[in-house]
Amino acid sequence: NEGAGCLCVEARMMHGARVGSRLRGPARGPAKRSGRPRGFDTSRAHLMPRHLGRTRAVSDGRLSTDSGEGTAWASEGEPRPLGPSPAGRSGGVTTAVNFAVVSENARAMRLCLAVATSSGRPEVIQEFPMHRTRNTFHVRLHDVPHPSRLVYGVRVEGSGGWETTHRWDSDRILLDPYAPLVYLGRKEFGVRDEAEGFEPETGSSFWGTFDFDDAALTDFDWGEGYRKPGTEWKDTVIYEMSVRLFTSDESSGLPAGSRGTFEGVRRKIPHLKDLGVTCVELLPIFEYDELEFQRSPNPRDHMVNVWGYSHINFFAPMSRFGSGGGGPAKAALEFKELVKDLHANGIEVVLDVVYNHTAEGGDTNPYLLSFRGIDCSTYYMQDPESYERILNYSGCGNTVNANNPVVSDLILDSLRHWVEEYHVDGFRFDLASALCRNPRGKPLQNPPLIGAI
């Protein structure tokens, strides 16, 4: 679908960027704080597989773990902002975090916490029931142990099976659509890692994560007198590139750990200037699974997805684009450094964004990761009268239900996030025609999402 029905916009047509904005996802101001409400049950903890550690309930309603990682307790929290947001600090460290996830049709949702150990494998999982306010499930965790090492997901329950438009699976821990960073455990691009928990057919486990205490990231220094280039269209020379392929070969002359990364592109800025480039258009840099074709035997199971037109999250930079296998927070920091240095050299940054479909596929060989299990009928276009209900106008198995109000807000929040947090200059919308349809796939004369953008 490369080049088919794309749409480009400039970020300066949207909300202005805020220098030094904090990495809190698409926050709408600080979450309100509240104590532990009466009658809110935090003592019910599901046992997880033994290799992930055991959890036991304590009489005072708190949860502790057999590995001594500490205790945490829960209160109802707030339904906004969506995703994780810091809700308390002590001694310069985040001690309370609010989580909020939207699902119109779920019956229940539980927050699943894990600690990424030195081996990279998430362990010591705890589960907390989430409170519901209208269509949003939320919970606030207090006395959070090792906040910079936490990863999280949600377990969702609902009514209706495959005969409906829902695709519930409470055995699967799902990625929060608003996770600002994504943890996989795969350190090297295209190389399977035991830490990712890969299983044939099922695939790998992607977790949400955050780092509210790394000042270099959350209070990034854009520099004194920083400003975006603001090049006129008549003077713009756009260079389209894949972050991975631009420097992945040893002929780039870069150290192995920097090849195919944001850092690798940053080191090649002098080359771009010599070419007269005034804008780089980066092929997809949102988190994706480059080994998605290798989940099960198929004609493409020898291939690695390098271009990345197969997102699983709309907020997190691709973690394997961080140098030296440094992980999601390092990738986010290095992308900010890349944008800062490109701007300092008069080069704008446009992102190729894929909001028309995700990596979760259709009803044939689905890859259950996030949206599909949280609320399939909200996030994807479907035909309830068809045998395969999920509609495929993207050619990739599914089509994002972009003009549903919940999904439109998700996409708009994502766009704001990349402008305000990472200071990008614009977007190229892949297969934008798919963003112009109603939930049944019928073309709209005036699609609400396009109007809102």
Side-chain angles (χ1 to χ4, degrees), residues 105 165-166 372 375-382 401 404:
N105 297 291
T165 57
H166 306 306
R372 179 183 177 90
D375 198 345
C376 192
S377 64
T378 292
Y379 287 106
Y380 295 113
M381 296 181 193
Q382 298 193 45
N401 190 16
N404 177 286

Side-chain angles (χ1 to χ4, degrees), residues 95-387:
T95 57
V97 180
N98 192 81
F99 298 85
V101 179
V102 171
S103 179
E104 296 274 3
N105 297 291
R107 183 177 64 245
M109 190 179 299
R110 302 177 70 88
L111 178 74
C112 305
L113 276 190
V115 174
T117 65
S118 58
S119 67
R121 182 100 181 202
E123 294 181 353
V124 196
I125 286 186
Q126 303 177 23
E127 296 194 18
F128 300 87
M130 301 178 75
H131 181 80
R132 181 168 192 163
T133 300
R134 293 182 292 279
N135 68 349
T136 304
F137 293 82
H138 48 89
V139 67
R140 179 174 298 169
L141 297 191
H142 306 260
D143 298 338
V144 176
H146 307 292
S148 63
R149 291 169 51 202
L150 282 181
V151 297
Y152 76 100
V154 292
R155 191 186 300 279
V156 184
E157 299 177 9
S159 301
W162 277 71
E163 75 283 359
T164 71
T165 57
H166 306 306
R167 296 295 178 263
W168 313 115
D169 186 348
S170 59
D171 291 333
R172 184 75 163 160
I173 297 176
L174 304 170
L175 177 65
D176 173 13
Y178 276 79
L181 301 173
V182 174
Y183 178 85
L184 174 61
R186 186 186 302 157
K187 298 178 180 64
E188 186 176 347
F189 187 95
V191 178
R192 192 76 71 191
D193 195 305
E194 183 180 356
E196 66 190 81
F198 172 79
E199 296 180 7
E201 305 291 341
T202 301
S204 302
S205 296
F206 290 80
W207 300 78
T209 189
F210 46 84
D211 194 339
F212 300 130
D213 298 328
D214 182 354
L217 178 62
T218 59
D219 289 321
F220 183 76
D221 182 8
W222 290 96
E224 186 176 354
Y226 164 83
R227 59 178 297 176
K228 293 184 175 184
T231 307
E232 296 289 337
W233 275 111
K234 65 182 178 63
D235 299 321
T236 296
V237 178
I238 300 176
Y239 188 112
E240 181 182 22
M241 72 164 72
S242 157
V243 169
R244 173 67 186 172
L245 293 178
F246 188 58
T247 64
S248 60
D249 192 80
E250 62 181 15
S251 64
S252 66
L254 298 179
S258 294
R259 296 176 201 155
T261 67
F262 295 130
E263 170 66 14
V265 176
R266 192 177 69 84
R267 292 190 179 205
K268 291 298 181 179
I269 290 176
H271 169 67
L272 296 171
K273 287 197 69 175
D274 288 345
L275 293 176
V277 171
T278 68
C279 176
V280 291
E281 179 188 329
L282 302 180
L283 269 63
I285 65 162
F286 298 1
E287 183 72 27
Y288 66 93
D289 183 1
E290 69 273 23
L291 298 180
E292 63 176 324
F293 300 140
Q294 302 181 18
R295 286 190 300 123
S296 57
N298 69 85
R300 298 193 293 176
D301 59 13
H302 62 290
M303 300 176 70
V304 174
N305 184 349
V306 180
W307 278 12
Y309 287 83
S310 199
H311 295 327
I312 64 172
N313 175 277
F314 298 155
F315 294 90
M318 175 63 166
S319 58
R320 268 84 68 214
F321 287 172
S323 64
K330 186 174 184 181
L333 177 61
E334 290 181 347
F335 182 59
K336 288 186 175 184
E337 292 171 342
L338 170 61
V339 174
K340 176 182 176 179
D341 285 3
L342 284 168
H343 283 173
N345 284 274
I347 300 175
E348 295 182 301
V349 181
V350 168
L351 300 185
D352 195 337
V353 291
V354 187
Y355 295 118
N356 64 80
H357 75 279
T358 74
E360 292 191 293
D363 282 337
T364 300
N365 193 28
Y367 192 1
L368 180 58
L369 295 166
S370 178
F371 310 97
R372 179 183 177 90
I374 290 174
D375 198 345
C376 192
S377 64
T378 292
Y379 287 106
Y380 295 113
M381 296 181 193
Q382 298 193 45
D383 180 359
E385 300 174 1
S386 174
Y387 177 73

